[in-house]
Amino acid sequence: MPNPALQSIHLYPVKSIAGSGPGEAVVEPWGLAGDRRWLLVDAEGRQVTQRQQPTLALARAEGLPGGALRLTAPGRRPLTVAVPGSAETVPVEVWKDEVEAVPAGPEAAEWFSGYLGAECRLVYLDAPEKRRPIDPAYSVPGETVSFADGFPLLLTTTSSLNALNSLIAQGDHPDEGPLPMNRFRPNVVVDGTAPWAEDDWHRVRIGEVDFAVAKPSARCVVTTTDQRTAERGKEPLRTLAHHRRFGDRLVFGQNLIPRGTGTIRIGDPFEILG
């Protein structure tokens, strides 16, 4: 088995739409720089994701210098969105968290509302260092997270995906596999570890940056959404329910909290510290 290394990096500037796969990324205390700093919300200020709107998979956000966005989606003209200049915030709801965020301009709201056929608006997390604390059961005081589901980074491994695809192939509906890694929307993908070894990790290092392994990632219906077509199937949840059930959670991947900052690059060594 080769020495474990970072195989790929993934940034999602807008929560729940397609992002990019850069060769390197800066690790900030609340996640990768530029990752999930923008969020779609409905008329009541609640998050809008692929759970409710699977066609968000077909939209794409490219991060631009200074935090701006370039948005593309089928049937829509590309749109560039600047970081809001206003300091006035509005409350939005991410899961059970109420978070203050800055609304983007009306052009972004019109663009996304037209694409989804439902009223929504785009908001920006202006001060990630203070807006949204991580669940204190898994963190230390002062640690925060972006608009990610709950933790700054999500790690997955190629060996565990291969193992999962083998289980899907042996199941009742093998035609749905093999699944690509983009179903799980990770931030970092590691190669060269044993399948499911991540279950036992507590601390890891990627390149020059250390991370705490907070908890396994419980998976939802987004993983059943083909990120190229927005069509939904049954996998991987059907197979995870049989083979990767931890209590009431279906698990794939691990949530990470940075214990330092720095730059990570594809090919960086991956170390298990504990």
Side-chain angles (χ1 to χ4, degrees):
M1 182 176 291
N3 292 329
L6 180 59
Q7 186 199 61
S8 61
I9 300 169
H10 304 272
L11 291 175
Y12 313 94
V14 180
K15 181 180 179 69
S16 219
I17 77 172
S20 61
E24 63 179 48
V26 174
V27 179
E28 298 176 327
W30 40 83
L32 299 182
D35 186 61
R36 296 178 174 95
R37 290 288 294 274
W38 299 82
L39 173 74
L40 277 174
V41 297
D42 63 18
E44 285 73 44
R46 296 185 296 257
Q47 68 174 352
V48 176
T49 73
Q50 288 186 40
R51 295 167 182 83
Q52 303 90 10
Q53 296 279 3
T55 56
L56 284 175
L58 309 182
R60 181 172 297 275
E62 176 189 356
L64 301 176
L69 297 175
R70 184 177 186 272
L71 300 171
T72 55
R76 308 299 294 175
R77 292 183 178 180
L79 178 69
T80 298
V81 182
V83 171
S86 171
E88 295 186 11
T89 63
V90 297
V92 299
E93 186 178 316
V94 184
W95 296 111
K96 296 181 180 179
D97 298 335
E98 184 175 289
V99 185
E100 293 294 320
V102 183
E107 298 85 0
E110 180 182 356
W111 194 91
F112 274 112
S113 297
Y115 176 59
L116 296 178
E119 182 181 350
C120 59
R121 57 181 170 167
L122 185 67
V123 298
Y124 178 72
L125 188 65
D126 61 328
E129 71 278 4
K130 63 180 182 181
R131 294 296 187 204
R132 188 178 175 218
I134 299 173
D135 185 338
Y138 301 98
S139 63
V140 299
E143 290 185 321
T144 60
V145 61
S146 65
F147 283 134
D149 275 355
F151 295 89
L153 283 85
L154 173 64
L155 176 150
T156 59
T157 70
T158 57
S159 61
S160 293
L161 179 63
N162 291 339
L164 177 61
N165 279 325
S166 293
L167 293 171
I168 292 172
Q170 298 164 25
D172 294 333
H173 299 276
D175 54 299
E176 286 199 36
L179 301 181
M181 191 66 85
N182 65 10
R183 290 290 188 96
F184 301 95
R185 298 178 62 80
N187 290 114
V188 289
V189 180
V190 171
D191 193 33
T193 61
W196 315 122
E198 61 269 26
D199 290 347
D200 299 319
W201 297 344
H202 301 285
R203 294 184 301 120
V204 299
R205 177 179 296 145
I206 302 173
E208 62 184 29
V209 185
D210 291 2
F211 299 87
V213 181
K215 66 189 293 279
S217 179
R219 309 318 306 219
C220 70
V221 70
V222 171
T223 61
T224 70
T225 307
D226 189 321
Q227 298 295 295
R228 300 167 303 170
T229 65
E231 295 177 357
R232 282 192 171 145
K234 299 293 185 182
E235 295 292 1
L237 294 185
R238 179 168 46 198
T239 296
L240 291 175
H242 287 294
H243 299 280
R244 296 288 296 167
R245 182 184 292 276
F246 290 67
D248 60 353
R249 299 174 301 161
L250 310 182
V251 166
F252 187 88
Q254 288 284 350
N255 291 295
L256 304 183
I257 302 174
R259 289 289 184 254
T261 59
T263 300
I264 58 173
R265 299 172 177 86
I266 291 176
D268 275 352
F270 176 78
E271 302 173 68
I272 302 162
L273 303 180

